[in-house]
Amino acid sequence: GTNQNIINISNDGIVSAVGSLGGRGVIRLIPQDAVLVDEYGVKYYRENAIYLDINVIVADGSSKETAIRINSVSEIENGDLHYVLISSSDSISSYVLDTFNGGLYGKYNDVDVSEIKLDNTCLFKTLGANAIIEDLVLYGNAQQAFVCGTNNGIIRNIKVDIYGNENNISTVTGTTGLDVGGLCGVNNGTIEDCSFAGSITGEGQNVGGLVGTNNGQILNSKVLLYKIVSGKMSFAGTQNVGGLVGVMNSKSTMYYSFIKNYGDENISNNQHGALIGYICTGALVKECFAEGVNGSNKIFNEIQDESKTTSVIKDSYVLHTDGSFDYYITKPAGGYTTGSLADITESIPDFIGYGYNKTWNRISSGGAYTGYPYLNSVQAEPAVSQEDLENIKNDSMSDYFQRGRG
């Protein structure tokens, strides 16, 4: 029970919450004729009452469980509260808020993830340390990044994708002096289970498919590049351009993430590193890969001294369009190796060894390894068939992506 009323029930049976606290309690239901009066005028009840346990949750925005339900992100007024978007939002052309330290969720009672269209802006300028952005699809055109300029919180399960009946490419535009990324310019927090399928244009510096500069952690995220009717997805920037991250600073980490180029042309030569534009001593990249990239794009910018990276890139590889293969393997002495698949077949067991075989796998036939290593999490996803790739290159994208955004 409770020491106060938490609901009111009218004579018509309408139930309403009392105050803003909510809580747990009991509803006692008795028939009207169950109330009797004894000879002294004292009321008493027959023993046929029904008791219902109740839990009243008041949407006060204090937590994810009590998030305020909104139909548009323009309804967000308090940057410290939690909100759940229960329908796809209208297009926005400016920051929702400069600083947001609450929660924004796109999944409500297990319904489909909500969508937000951006028009030359990003969702927030800065996310605070307590911020959580979760379960949203973003598309359109963004400045600097789609989610935020700087992330100090958590960005989880965010997808940037194509849109419109003609399957337009979502695009981030960078400007001189800014860190530019598909999701955020600078990451000081956590990014996990996110994806970016779009282009980055302009003259930004420190440019990455996920993040421009990473000071935090990135987990299980991916960049997918397609060539479609409306154009080719690609990246551009003035310096430190990477497929996933522009710059990995000391103590930053990136695990189980990848970039795949499904187009029939090489990624722009402006992409200085297949995975990373520049990596600093003390950063850690583990079990990441890039496939279908230009043969000149190594894991990181080649002008960087490789001695700085032998101990911080582990079990990661780049498969080039010309069939050449660069990889780092975790061995007692560490190391970096290049070559063709035929040259390194005997080394592939080392690549997935030393305790990492639960994450990596490889194709084998008759005891011989016949293919490149892959992440188990990637293999578990539906493979992109040749027919799908032809659709991607041509004009039947809606059949593959099963959506047509306006």
Side-chain angles (χ1 to χ4, degrees):
T2 179
N3 59 3
Q4 63 180 16
N5 292 332
I6 57 176
I7 61 170
N8 281 328
I9 304 178
S10 70
N11 291 333
D12 298 326
I14 298 174
V15 179
S16 59
V18 174
S20 59
L21 295 177
R24 295 182 179 275
V26 175
I27 296 178
R28 184 185 186 193
L29 300 176
I30 56 174
Q32 187 173 5
D33 60 2
V35 181
L36 303 176
V37 180
D38 64 15
E39 59 184 309
Y40 301 105
V42 178
K43 292 182 180 181
Y44 67 97
Y45 304 91
R46 294 175 179 171
E47 292 300 322
N48 58 353
I50 298 174
Y51 296 88
L52 301 177
D53 293 326
I54 61 169
N55 182 21
V56 177
I57 299 175
V58 178
D60 59 2
S62 61
S63 67
K64 181 178 180 180
E65 291 71 24
T66 62
I68 299 169
R69 293 150 183 79
I70 56 175
N71 291 295
S72 171
V73 291
S74 62
E75 297 174 37
I76 297 176
E77 297 179 348
N78 188 324
D80 293 321
L81 296 182
H82 294 254
Y83 299 85
V84 57
L85 188 62
I86 61 176
S87 63
S88 293
S89 182
D90 297 334
S91 176
I92 62 170
S93 56
S94 61
Y95 300 133
V96 175
L97 291 174
D98 277 2
T99 301
F100 184 70
N101 204 32
L104 176 60
Y105 313 97
K107 199 169 186 178
Y108 177 64
N109 286 346
D110 295 323
V111 300
D112 291 339
V113 175
S114 298
E115 301 176 354
I116 303 174
K117 183 177 181 180
L118 276 66
D119 182 11
N120 294 315
T121 186
C122 58
L123 203 54
F124 300 99
K125 184 175 181 180
T126 301
L127 293 180
N130 296 321
I132 303 175
I133 309 297
E134 188 175 72
D135 297 329
L136 292 169
V137 174
L138 306 178
Y139 62 98
N141 297 291
Q143 289 285 337
Q144 188 179 6
F146 269 87
V147 178
C148 61
T150 301
N151 172 46
N152 298 298
I154 297 173
I155 299 174
R156 180 187 296 124
N157 196 30
I158 302 299
K159 182 177 184 180
V160 176
D161 210 345
I162 60 171
Y163 66 101
N165 294 329
E166 296 181 357
N167 300 301
N168 301 300
I169 296 176
S170 292
T171 301
V172 177
T173 301
T175 56
T176 303
L178 284 181
D179 297 273
V180 178
L183 299 175
C184 68
V186 178
N187 176 48
N188 301 318
T190 299
I191 293 175
E192 59 181 321
D193 300 319
C194 293
S195 66
F196 177 79
S199 289
I200 299 176
T201 64
E203 298 183 350
Q205 63 184 31
N206 303 340
V207 175
L210 297 173
V211 171
T213 294
N214 185 33
N215 301 307
Q217 60 178 339
I218 299 173
L219 302 165
N220 301 312
S221 295
K222 58 189 176 184
V223 173
L224 305 174
L225 300 181
Y226 301 107
K227 182 182 179 184
I228 60 179
V229 171
S230 56
K232 178 181 67 173
M233 296 177 182
S234 61
F235 301 156
T238 58
Q239 64 180 12
N240 298 335
V241 182
L244 297 178
V245 178
V247 173
M248 292 278 296
N249 277 328
S250 178
K251 298 184 180 180
S252 64
T253 60
M254 180 165 63
Y255 299 120
Y256 321 131
S257 298
F258 66 90
I259 174 173
K260 280 194 175 186
N261 178 21
Y262 289 107
D264 56 5
E265 297 181 28
N266 291 336
I267 299 174
S268 167
N269 287 330
N270 283 333
Q271 183 175 338
H272 300 157
L275 291 176
I276 308 149
Y278 192 92
I279 184 168
C280 298
T281 301
L284 173 61
V285 176
K286 179 180 175 183
E287 296 174 37
C288 297
F289 70 86
E291 291 188 0
V293 300
N294 190 306
S296 65
N297 296 140
K298 304 301 183 182
I299 285 181
F300 57 91
N301 191 340
E302 278 196 288
I303 65 172
Q304 185 178 346
D305 180 4
E306 289 186 9
S307 65
K308 294 181 180 180
T309 64
T310 53
S311 63
V312 295
I313 298 180
K314 299 182 178 181
D315 296 330
S316 298
Y317 75 86
V318 175
L319 172 61
H320 303 288
T321 53
D322 62 6
S324 60
F325 186 67
D326 308 323
Y327 73 105
Y328 281 79
I329 57 176
T330 302
K331 300 175 69 174
Y336 171 67
T337 304
T338 63
S340 67
L341 178 60
D343 294 334
I344 62 169
T345 298
E346 298 302 320
S347 298
I348 288 180
D350 292 330
F351 185 86
I352 65 165
Y354 302 100
Y356 299 122
N357 57 315
K358 291 183 180 179
T359 301
W360 287 103
N361 213 326
R362 77 282 200 195
I363 299 171
S364 61
S365 176
Y369 299 110
T370 60
Y372 293 97
Y374 59 84
L375 290 169
N376 282 324
S377 60
V378 177
Q379 186 72 6
E381 297 178 353
V384 180
S385 68
Q386 186 59 41
E387 180 181 359
D388 289 333
L389 290 178
E390 291 303 317
N391 290 340
I392 288 170
K393 295 173 186 176
N394 295 295
D395 58 1
S396 53
M397 291 289 289
S398 59
D399 294 334
Y400 178 68
F401 286 96
Q402 297 181 342
R403 69 169 64 87
R405 300 193 183 97

